[in-house]
């Protein structure tokens, strides 16, 4: 019987400032595949939405338009040319995976051929069965007023190279 295990790699990074976060977000944006799912785990105030704002800025989306989707649950942000959509979702208030259909999840992540879509999912444990097995998981831990520890775990062929690339960068502690 063939193994169903997917390759996995992991890296821990220390982010000491918003400037560090901006550099990380730019490198992350350059590393993500055409269609990507990135789960974001961390306590309230850990910086999940701040990270999405930084990624948006790195690809030319006004970060001021990126707000926490706590009440709207799913926010869409498209680049000016429409070639890339960021889906920013907060699943904290969901009680069951079946609620994703009512929210329009499938429509949110569906893009025209030739376009890219990156879904950033806060509180992913609420919809775990609906998430693809292959994805990038980012755990954010508060270590100080402006510092965070990021643990990147890439699962699957498209994602294992991401933490490995950060291991080779001088910003990876």
């Amino acid at each position: 019987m063939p193994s169903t295990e997917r390759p996995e790699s992991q890296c821990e990074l220390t982010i000491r400032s918003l400037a560090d976060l901006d550099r990380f977000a730019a490198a992350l944006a350059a590393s993500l595949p055409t269609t990507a799912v990135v789960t974001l785990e961390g306590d309230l105030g850990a910086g999940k939405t701040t990270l999405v704002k930084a990624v948006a800025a790195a690809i030319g989306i006004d970060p001021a338009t990126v707000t926490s989707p706590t009440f709207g649950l799913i926010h869409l942000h498209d680049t000016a040319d429409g070639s890339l959509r960021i889906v920013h979702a907060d699943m904290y208030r969901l009680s069951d995976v079946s609620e994703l259909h009512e929210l329009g999840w499938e429509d949110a992540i569906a893009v025209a051929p030739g376009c890219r879509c990156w879904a950033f999912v806060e509180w992913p444990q609420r919809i775990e069965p609906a998430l693809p097995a292959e994805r990038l998981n980012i755990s954010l831990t508060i270590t100080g007023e402006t510092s965070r520890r990021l643990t990147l775990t890439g699962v699957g062929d498209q994602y294992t190279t991401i933490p490995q690339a950060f291991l080779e960068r001088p910003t990876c502690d």
Side-chain angles (χ1 to χ4, degrees):
M1 178 180 230
S3 172
T4 58
E5 287 190 34
R6 290 171 175 76
E8 185 176 298
S9 68
Q10 191 172 73
C11 175
E12 279 195 4
L13 302 168
T14 298
I15 302 294
R16 293 181 178 86
S17 65
L18 286 175
D20 280 356
L21 183 66
D22 290 342
R23 284 189 291 278
F24 167 75
L28 179 63
S31 302
L32 289 174
T34 301
T35 300
V37 173
V38 180
T39 63
L40 303 171
E41 297 183 45
D43 291 335
L44 292 172
K48 298 178 293 290
T49 295
T50 302
L51 174 57
V52 177
K53 283 178 172 277
V55 171
I59 61 167
I61 295 173
D62 181 358
T65 65
V66 179
T67 58
S68 175
T70 300
F71 297 104
L73 302 183
I74 297 175
H75 291 175
L76 306 178
H77 307 281
D78 293 306
T79 56
D81 66 1
S83 66
L84 175 57
R85 168 177 287 170
I86 288 181
V87 177
H88 184 198
D90 184 330
M91 300 302 167
Y92 183 77
R93 295 183 352 180
L94 290 188
S95 57
D96 188 74
V97 171
S98 64
E99 294 176 64
L100 281 175
H101 180 71
E102 295 169 28
L103 287 175
W105 176 252
E106 294 86 7
D107 292 336
I109 60 173
V111 293
C115 294
R116 300 177 293 161
C117 181
W118 297 341
F120 290 85
V121 181
E122 298 185 25
W123 303 99
Q125 60 274 28
R126 303 276 189 174
I127 63 163
E128 181 71 33
L131 292 170
E134 296 193 10
R135 62 183 184 252
L136 180 65
N137 301 313
I138 301 178
S139 175
L140 297 92
T141 304
I142 300 170
T143 56
E145 188 175 325
T146 60
S147 62
R148 303 291 186 265
R149 182 177 62 248
L150 274 55
T151 304
L152 283 66
T153 306
V155 182
D157 292 332
Q158 290 189 93
Y159 296 96
T160 56
T161 58
I162 297 171
Q164 290 171 357
F166 281 99
L167 284 170
E168 296 167 6
R169 296 173 194 264
T171 58
C172 190
D173 296 330

